């Protein structure tokens, strides 16, 4: 199988949820029985609405498609891809490669996490919107990872649509039925950072970039300013060029900024925390919510974007309206006030991820939809 991600290659050097999802899909496809080859690292994304740059990217993509197809044709038949799989195409990152290559080779074409915003049909990314629509219309399978995404693409895709639940592919703690040793993780982090272990530790993990991420940080700060009850500290993992804005939003609050953490340190942070808090405004769904719950952290989030697909109300999660900092603070206060209930909610969250969002389930969905195409 040839695999391609026009938004960001799975081996891109900058960590992100998008990169992690791409890697997870490759792992799930391997688990489903495919040999997966990263076909190209060409990034088709254009975020400014610049028609000249979009035209250049289109020309480059089509040129690459022609040469990539020719290189596959020169291979022995047994070494050519039998299926093309594109992850995350939309108006800002259309797939200029997959349709052309799959047509030249005469192989099926599948896409995952395509999105469709009708307001872009006549906007500055209208060409990308049309290209993404054409890809979905001709794809043999289209995998939607959220209910919102499925509703958006259904008019173009019809019965070729397959629901694929978001999943974790590479979290060793999530695969351990006993979970992390929370007391040991907490003691180690308190010693390393000089934290007070008697305070409640709120945890959030996010990139600090302009737009929806900064808006979520600002919403979180507004909510926490109204939080009373047991003493608490917020531990923030993440960094980015908008960090000054984020730090300004939390001025005067008990916040510890940890910077960007590698995966082992991030796992220790989840294991040591008491509650994961992140509004997640307009998130596609948010891998961090699955990561936190897999480590036994209950979650308070906003019912925005696709968050409800990974944070299930009453199963270790609390969802509140996105425009109510008071409701967010009230949900956090409730969780912090009852240690036994919070621990039970963490166990529920962990069980929910294990039951609905694991690698094996994703591989079964992908395999059952794709193998009949071959």
């Amino acid at each position: 199988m040839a695999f391609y991600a026009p938004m960001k290659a799975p081996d891109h050097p900058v960590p992100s949820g998008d990169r992690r999802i791409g890697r997870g899909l490759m792992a799930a496809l391997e688990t489903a029985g495919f040999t997966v080859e990263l076909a190209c690292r060409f990034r088709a994304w254009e975020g400014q609405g610049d028609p000249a740059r979009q035209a250049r990217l289109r020309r480059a993509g089509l040129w690459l498609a022609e040469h990539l197809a020719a290189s596959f044709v020169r291979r022995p038949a047994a070494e050519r891809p039998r299926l093309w799989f594109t992850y995350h195409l939309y108006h800002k990152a259309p797939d200029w490669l997959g349709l052309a290559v799959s047509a030249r080779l005469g192989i099926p074409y599948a896409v995952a996490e395509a999105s469709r915003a009708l307001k872009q049909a006549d906007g500055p990314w209208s060409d990308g919107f049309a290209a993404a629509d054409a890809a979905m219309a001709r794809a043999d399978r289209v995998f939607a990872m959220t209910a919102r995404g499925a509703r958006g693409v259904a008019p173009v895709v019809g019965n070729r649509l397959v629901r694929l639940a978001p999943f974790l592919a590479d979290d060793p703690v999530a695969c351990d039925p006993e979970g992390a040793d929370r007391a040991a993780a907490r003691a180690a982090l308190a010693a390393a950072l000089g934290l007070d272990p008697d305070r409640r530790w709120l945890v959030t993990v996010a990139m600090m970039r302009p737009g929806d991420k900064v808006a979520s940080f600002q919403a979180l700060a507004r909510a926490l300013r109204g939080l009373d009850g047991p003493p608490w500290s917020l531990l923030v993992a993440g960094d980015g060029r908008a960090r000054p804005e984020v730090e300004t939003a939390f001025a005067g609050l008990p916040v510890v900024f940890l910077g960007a953490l590698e995966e082992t340190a991030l796992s220790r942070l989840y294991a040591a925390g008491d509650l994961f808090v992140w509004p997640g405004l307009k998130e596609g769904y948010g891998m961090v919510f699955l990561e936190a719950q897999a480590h036994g952290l209950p979650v308070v989030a906003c019912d925005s974007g696709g968050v409800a697909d990974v944070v299930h109300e009453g199963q270790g999660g609390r969802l509140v309206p996105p425009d109510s900092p008071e409701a967010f603070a009230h949900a956090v206060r409730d969780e912090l006030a009852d240690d036994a209930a919070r621990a039970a909610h963490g166990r529920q969250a962990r069980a929910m991820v294990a039951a609905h969002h694991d690698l094996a389930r994703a591989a079964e969905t992908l395999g059952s939809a794709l193998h009949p195409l071959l």
Side-chain angles (χ1 to χ4, degrees):
M1 175 187 292
F3 187 96
Y4 172 56
M7 174 71 180
K8 177 184 280 190
D11 59 358
H12 193 280
V14 178
S16 67
D18 196 74
R19 186 186 75 170
R20 188 168 187 187
I21 296 165
R23 292 178 174 183
L25 281 167
M26 294 181 77
L29 290 164
E30 292 273 4
T31 303
F34 295 95
T35 299
V36 183
E37 174 183 346
L38 183 58
C40 190
R41 295 177 176 84
F42 172 63
R43 193 178 191 204
W45 182 81
E46 196 286 314
Q48 303 302 316
D50 180 347
R53 176 166 168 74
Q54 291 172 39
R56 290 195 298 272
L57 288 168
R58 178 181 181 276
R59 289 194 299 271
L62 294 176
W63 182 90
L64 279 168
E66 179 181 343
H67 286 262
L68 186 59
S71 72
F72 284 142
V73 168
R74 287 194 294 270
R75 294 183 182 183
E79 297 176 14
R80 297 173 195 162
R82 295 180 60 197
L83 190 147
W84 181 284
F85 192 104
T86 293
Y87 160 63
H88 201 179
L89 67 154
Y90 71 122
H91 59 276
K92 291 185 182 180
D95 180 11
W96 300 117
L97 306 183
L99 275 178
V101 175
S102 58
R104 174 76 180 277
L105 298 181
I107 60 176
Y109 174 65
V111 301
E113 198 66 350
S115 63
R116 187 171 187 262
L118 277 175
K119 65 182 180 181
Q120 300 298 340
D122 299 312
W125 292 278
S126 56
D127 286 348
F129 178 89
D133 257 21
M136 287 185 279
R138 293 173 57 186
D140 296 280
R141 293 288 186 274
V142 176
F143 295 91
M145 302 182 77
T146 66
R148 182 187 182 196
R151 289 193 298 270
V153 303
V156 179
V157 176
N159 62 6
R160 292 168 289 118
L161 180 66
V162 179
R163 284 296 307 276
L164 173 66
F167 63 97
L168 288 176
D170 55 359
D171 193 327
V173 176
C175 302
D176 175 7
E178 297 302 321
D181 185 336
R182 190 166 301 281
R186 190 176 183 86
L189 195 62
L193 300 178
L195 300 174
D196 182 354
D198 293 327
R199 297 174 72 91
R200 306 299 194 275
W201 291 357
L202 309 179
V203 173
T204 200
V205 178
M207 300 287 285
M208 297 179 183
R209 58 173 180 256
D212 295 333
K213 295 295 186 186
V214 166
S216 281
F217 275 115
Q218 292 169 338
L220 179 60
R222 287 193 296 271
L224 295 184
R225 288 191 186 280
L227 181 61
D228 52 18
W232 56 271
S233 295
L234 174 66
L235 310 182
V236 179
D239 211 337
R241 61 191 177 95
R243 180 163 178 166
E245 289 180 73
V246 174
E247 292 181 342
T248 298
F250 287 96
L253 291 173
V255 180
V256 180
F257 292 99
L258 305 175
L261 300 181
E262 48 83 25
E263 290 182 4
T264 301
L266 190 58
S267 184
R268 288 196 291 264
L269 174 62
Y270 286 132
D274 290 299
L275 181 68
F276 189 80
V277 291
W278 179 239
L281 301 178
K282 298 182 181 179
E283 291 272 13
Y285 51 85
M287 288 292 289
V288 291
F289 293 121
L290 289 179
E291 294 170 0
Q293 291 175 100
H295 285 77
L297 274 184
V299 166
V300 176
C302 291
D303 190 357
S304 177
V307 173
D309 285 88
V310 293
V311 178
H312 300 181
E313 179 72 39
Q315 297 183 53
R318 299 285 298 274
L319 290 171
V320 302
D323 56 354
S324 177
E326 296 81 10
F328 199 101
H330 182 75
V332 173
R333 185 184 304 114
D334 281 353
E335 290 291 329
L336 296 186
D338 190 333
D339 293 344
R342 189 174 64 254
H345 296 164
R347 291 190 293 271
Q348 290 170 353
R350 185 178 172 78
M352 186 278 297
V353 172
H356 302 290
H357 301 283
D358 69 333
L359 178 66
R361 183 179 292 268
E364 181 181 358
T365 300
L366 289 163
S368 62
L370 294 176
H371 282 297
L373 299 179
L374 302 180

